[in-house]
Amino acid sequence: MYTYAQHGYGKSDKIETAIRQGSVSGVILSPRDEQPERLAQYIATLRQEFADQVTILFDPQFYATTVTPVRDGYLPDYPYYQPGLTRGRFIAPLDIQQYVSDVIDYQLPLGLDRIISPTVFFSDFTDPWSQIALSMAQQSTVLGAGLAQPLLLSLVFDETALRNRTALNDFLDIISVWDVEGFYLVIRRNDTTYQAFSDDLILKNLMYLTYVLAEVNDFEIVLGYSDFVGLLLHAVGAEATGTGWYNTLRQFSLARFQPATGGRPARPRYTSDALLNSILVVPELAAIYQRGRLPQVIATTSYDGTLANGNPANAAWPPDVACLHHWEVLSRLAAEVATQGSVAASLDRLQERIQQAVATYNLLLTAGIPFEVATGQRELDVWLRAIRSFRQEAGL
Amino acid sequence: MRKTITERQLSRAFEATLANGAWSSKYPPLRQVLREMHCQQGQPDLVGTVTSVSAIPAKIRARLALALRRPSGARLLSLLRESTPRSEEFLLRTSGLSREIVRRTLSELKKLRLVIPRGDNRYLCAPALRRYSHQELWAFEVKVEHWQRAFYQALQYRAFADRAAIVLAMPLAHRAEKHVARFRLFGIGIIAVDPYTGAMRTLARPRKQHPLSRFHQLYALGQFLNRRTAPIPKNPATSRIRGPLSGPQLSNEVSDI
């Protein structure tokens, strides 16, 4: 069980600090956000300081090649990247072989712990793009067979694909026989608010997908951009989940690769282990303080002393500190959930945690403290339903 | 009637109320009002000052306006003290700003004589800041009926405002009135306004409280100092307002009342 930092723009020294402090044990690098030379240098720096105490992955983000118009940052500086690819450019097997080989060859000399295969984004397990993704994965298994580093097959798809259980089963039948180390999964969320709304069917099937691959078939499963939802996936066997500093690095959306018109600065948040959520410092945490309920939500990490001892609205809570705090809380929760000895015990512990969080929310609501929909207990109710349904189905 | 009232109508009726006796018989008159102010915590429909920012001496006003025109200036000034010097490292660590921005902003603030260097890269803020930076602000969220959302937003405005209230359409205000205890817990006011007659009724008085965040308070002051003052209608509402309301268009500007 590990928490990985999902790298993006403006990394400063957060990742190194979190590795030193033990709250993240790996990093999933984003070429979109760093020049190739700087990224190679960064890998070397991490390796020099942390040797094999850090797992370094590189998400090639090949799926951005099919996004138009695209906001691809530094990706065009990477030799394997070809913007504006259409379906017609994936018909010839030789083309697919070339894409795969270019991406894998690029990663080989970087000193990574795993090689991540290229893929394309698909919306449904039965659509033409999913067939292209399978072809690329198949080709990657061929080219990856003789590699020194283990290979993770990458799959990036829309969460709505998980509604179709029959298609998911068929898909699992195909991919679960491949001879690879594991999978790097990225699920596109349709709700752009943080935390994104999920429905319980989608979550249940995501747990099922992770469980079948990780527990039943013993693959290493790394789920990028997972954040809090990663707790459910750790409970069913995920090896690692990724989370970053911006909301766009905590839940995946193709909007990250599409032209943006700008936005307002993110409002400061506080991640509470008791609430299993990141609430807004103003007005939510400030209102909790005003009502004398702060001790019930404070996570007590290496960073939040400044908020715990006075009016949080006036406390220094810069984004880097908030991020390091968030990672510490998440990794602590993930460790707690994943180290119970069995999937059933992990799920028991997680359910207990969620029920406690619901109770804490109810207490705060009774005290008159308001929450926005996304910072309230909506997700907790969905998680509980998804877990119950998954357990019933898996007989756990 | 419910379908015909718009937030704009209600907002204009409330502005008219601010300018006539209905408001000033119960509350201190608001000297200036800013509509749709950016405050880094939502966008209140109206923010008013009890004392006009024009009362700040012109030279100091100009310096404060320059210092507070960007969030970085407000952020650093909120962290500085008059008697305990703060180091550049402290400002760097607690502001979340990059070293380059901290240095550039400190340099600007020094030129404006709002920051006093104390050697060893340590800084104090000038006494003028404390003396003139606190203007009593009132923030209002106008909603025809969604009082829960308005309540949440008013709580956000407490970051910079001394008083915060929601303004509801009188015929629908009873919905919030049932929950008045919740408003009183946080000192948030409820003001019901009749969008047609301009009549006003206070269901909960906004309680005076110190703004929660020094940074947001300074940033809000910067918004007042940096917006142009617009001519305002003298007595935009008389005894009765008929819809659709006539009068000046709403815009993001300061009005003297």
Side-chain angles (χ1 to χ4, degrees):
Chain A
M1 175 295 311
Y2 301 106
T3 300
Y4 292 166
Q6 195 84 46
H7 164 249
Y9 177 76
K11 65 183 182 306
S12 67
D13 60 353
K14 289 187 277 290
I15 297 171
E16 296 93 307
T17 307
I19 297 170
R20 272 182 223 123
Q21 195 246 339
S23 54
V24 303
S25 54
V27 55
I28 304 166
L29 296 167
S30 160
R32 176 192 175 277
D33 300 293
E34 211 83 54
Q35 291 167 343
E37 305 75 35
R38 290 179 70 111
L39 201 69
Q41 180 58 46
Y42 186 57
I43 294 169
T45 308
L46 287 178
R47 197 57 83 197
Q48 192 177 11
E49 181 173 351
F50 302 107
D52 59 356
Q53 298 303 300
V54 59
T55 302
I56 307 176
L57 307 180
F58 173 92
D59 175 356
Q61 296 169 334
F62 191 81
Y63 45 82
T65 57
T66 61
V67 178
T68 49
V70 67
R71 188 165 54 109
D72 46 11
Y74 292 111
L75 273 170
D77 296 348
Y78 288 78
Y80 62 79
Y81 178 75
Q82 301 181 41
L85 292 183
T86 56
R87 252 177 75 198
R89 302 285 303 277
F90 290 92
I91 291 169
L94 274 177
D95 282 344
I96 289 182
Q97 191 180 337
Q98 192 62 52
Y99 302 144
V100 171
S101 137
D102 286 350
V103 170
I104 290 179
D105 287 350
Y106 183 80
Q107 293 179 68
L108 289 177
L110 291 177
L112 303 163
D113 291 285
R114 304 279 185 273
I115 301 296
I116 294 184
S117 73
T119 191
V120 289
F121 171 79
F122 60 91
S123 300
D124 190 279
F125 291 117
T126 57
D127 75 11
W129 286 105
S130 76
Q131 300 313 305
I132 294 170
L134 284 174
S135 299
M136 294 184 83
Q138 168 68 33
Q139 188 58 43
S140 300
T141 61
V142 173
L143 293 178
L147 298 178
Q149 295 108 311
L151 176 72
L152 298 182
L153 293 179
S154 170
L155 294 170
V156 181
F157 54 90
D158 193 286
E159 63 179 356
T160 53
L162 291 163
R163 284 182 184 282
N164 185 343
R165 181 57 174 269
T166 312
L168 171 62
N169 282 336
D170 292 345
F171 196 81
L172 279 171
D173 286 345
I174 298 168
I175 66 174
S176 58
V177 297
W178 283 334
D179 184 15
V180 288
E181 183 74 11
F183 292 87
Y184 171 64
L185 305 176
V186 173
I187 316 298
R188 195 263 292 263
R189 311 298 298 276
N190 289 313
D191 181 6
T192 53
T193 55
Y194 175 79
Q195 295 189 62
F197 171 75
S198 328
D199 76 30
D200 42 334
L201 175 65
I202 287 174
L203 266 188
K204 180 193 78 172
N205 283 340
L206 180 58
M207 292 175 75
Y208 172 77
L209 166 73
T210 307
Y211 176 73
V212 167
L213 290 175
E215 283 292 312
V216 179
N217 290 287
D218 205 23
F219 286 113
E220 178 179 314
I221 302 300
V222 178
L223 290 121
Y225 305 86
S226 299
D227 204 53
F228 270 108
V229 172
L231 296 177
L232 281 72
L233 308 174
H234 278 296
V236 294
E239 169 84 357
T241 56
T243 179
W245 41 96
Y246 298 131
N247 292 348
T248 52
L249 297 174
R250 294 180 181 180
Q251 48 197 32
F252 183 75
S253 157
L254 280 182
R256 186 160 134 69
F257 292 91
Q258 290 163 338
T261 51
R264 61 181 184 190
R267 288 179 290 170
R269 286 172 181 270
Y270 176 78
T271 302
S272 166
D273 56 349
L275 296 176
L276 297 178
N277 209 341
S278 282
I279 59 172
L280 293 162
V281 172
V282 177
E284 293 160 358
L285 193 64
I288 291 170
Y289 164 74
Q290 215 174 331
R291 300 290 294 132
R293 305 279 184 176
L294 216 44
Q296 279 149 314
V297 300
I298 289 291
T300 318
T301 63
S302 326
Y303 304 97
D304 63 1
T306 178
L307 293 181
N309 299 314
N311 166 20
N314 221 9
W317 192 242
D320 282 10
V321 171
C323 167
L324 290 167
H325 163 82
H326 179 74
W327 287 350
E328 188 175 328
V329 172
L330 268 190
S331 71
R332 213 162 63 184
L333 286 168
E336 181 185 318
V337 164
T339 53
Q340 298 292 317
S342 70
V343 171
S346 291
L347 289 170
D348 282 344
R349 183 71 196 112
L350 182 58
Q351 277 177 295
E352 210 175 297
R353 266 280 183 187
I354 298 170
Q355 278 152 358
Q356 284 167 358
V358 170
T360 308
Y361 264 115
N362 287 335
L363 202 69
L364 297 174
L365 290 169
T366 309
I369 295 150
F371 293 93
E372 282 190 327
V373 176
T375 50
Q377 66 185 76
R378 176 189 68 182
E379 289 308 294
L380 300 177
D381 298 333
V382 176
W383 293 356
L384 278 177
R385 287 200 300 274
I387 293 171
R388 284 184 195 129
S389 174
F390 167 78
R391 294 190 81 157
Q392 199 171 18
E393 201 172 278
L396 290 163
Chain B
M1 176 169 144
R2 183 176 157 185
K3 283 183 184 165
T4 60
I5 303 171
T6 66
E7 254 170 46
R8 174 172 281 210
Q9 280 178 317
L10 185 61
S11 190
R12 289 171 68 178
F14 178 57
E15 278 190 76
T17 306
L18 289 179
N20 67 28
W23 175 266
S24 51
S25 64
K26 292 183 178 171
Y27 299 108
L30 299 179
R31 305 290 175 194
Q32 288 176 304
V33 170
L34 193 56
R35 305 177 187 97
E36 303 284 344
M37 189 185 89
H38 293 284
C39 66
Q40 305 251 335
Q41 278 296 337
Q43 203 159 305
D45 291 308
L46 291 169
V47 180
T49 51
V50 171
T51 51
S52 169
V53 291
S54 313
I56 303 173
K59 282 183 183 169
I60 293 175
R61 197 167 68 229
R63 281 157 54 197
L64 279 173
L66 281 170
L68 301 175
R69 71 191 189 282
R70 281 198 285 262
S72 54
R75 178 70 72 189
L76 291 192
L77 286 173
S78 74
L79 294 167
L80 289 169
R81 298 289 174 266
E82 256 180 71
S83 51
T84 312
R86 300 293 198 198
S87 67
E88 184 182 295
E89 284 309 311
F90 171 86
L91 296 173
L92 199 61
R93 200 172 61 244
T94 53
S95 68
L97 302 171
S98 70
R99 190 178 294 276
E100 189 193 336
I101 291 178
V102 167
R103 285 189 174 163
R104 195 175 60 211
T105 309
L106 280 173
S107 165
E108 285 170 9
L109 296 175
K110 273 190 284 184
K111 279 183 202 155
L112 294 168
R113 288 175 287 135
L114 290 170
V115 156
I116 305 162
R118 273 287 172 266
D120 290 341
N121 267 345
R122 287 145 65 88
Y123 302 89
L124 294 172
C125 71
L129 185 73
R130 180 171 51 85
R131 187 163 172 199
Y132 294 108
S133 66
H134 189 212
Q135 302 291 319
E136 185 176 327
L137 297 181
W138 293 51
F140 302 96
E141 183 60 32
V142 180
K143 285 272 188 288
V144 175
E145 55 180 324
H146 296 298
W147 68 267
Q148 294 98 327
R149 182 67 197 150
F151 172 60
Y152 186 90
Q153 289 172 283
L155 273 181
Q156 279 183 279
Y157 308 153
R158 288 276 301 104
F160 67 88
D162 298 74
R163 297 188 203 240
I166 69 168
V167 177
L168 298 171
M170 200 172 277
L172 302 164
H174 62 277
R175 295 178 186 169
E177 195 172 12
K178 286 182 200 161
H179 304 271
V180 72
R182 198 170 168 204
F183 284 80
R184 289 198 174 121
L185 275 178
F186 294 97
I188 304 294
I190 310 174
I191 294 165
V193 172
D194 187 313
Y196 294 96
T197 65
M200 185 187 95
R201 192 159 75 91
T202 299
L203 307 179
R205 253 186 108 78
R207 193 165 67 229
K208 185 169 165 58
Q209 301 173 93
H210 202 269
L212 289 171
S213 157
R214 176 79 173 139
F215 159 65
H216 289 100
Q217 184 204 358
L218 288 174
Y219 184 77
L221 174 64
Q223 294 294 298
F224 266 93
L225 293 169
N226 285 292
R227 293 289 179 91
R228 71 191 167 86
T229 304
I232 52 99
K234 290 287 180 199
N235 196 12
T238 51
S239 58
R240 188 170 175 83
I241 303 163
R242 294 180 193 282
L245 296 167
S246 59
Q249 292 298 304
L250 290 181
S251 62
N252 297 341
E253 60 200 14
V254 178
S255 294
D256 289 320
I257 289 185

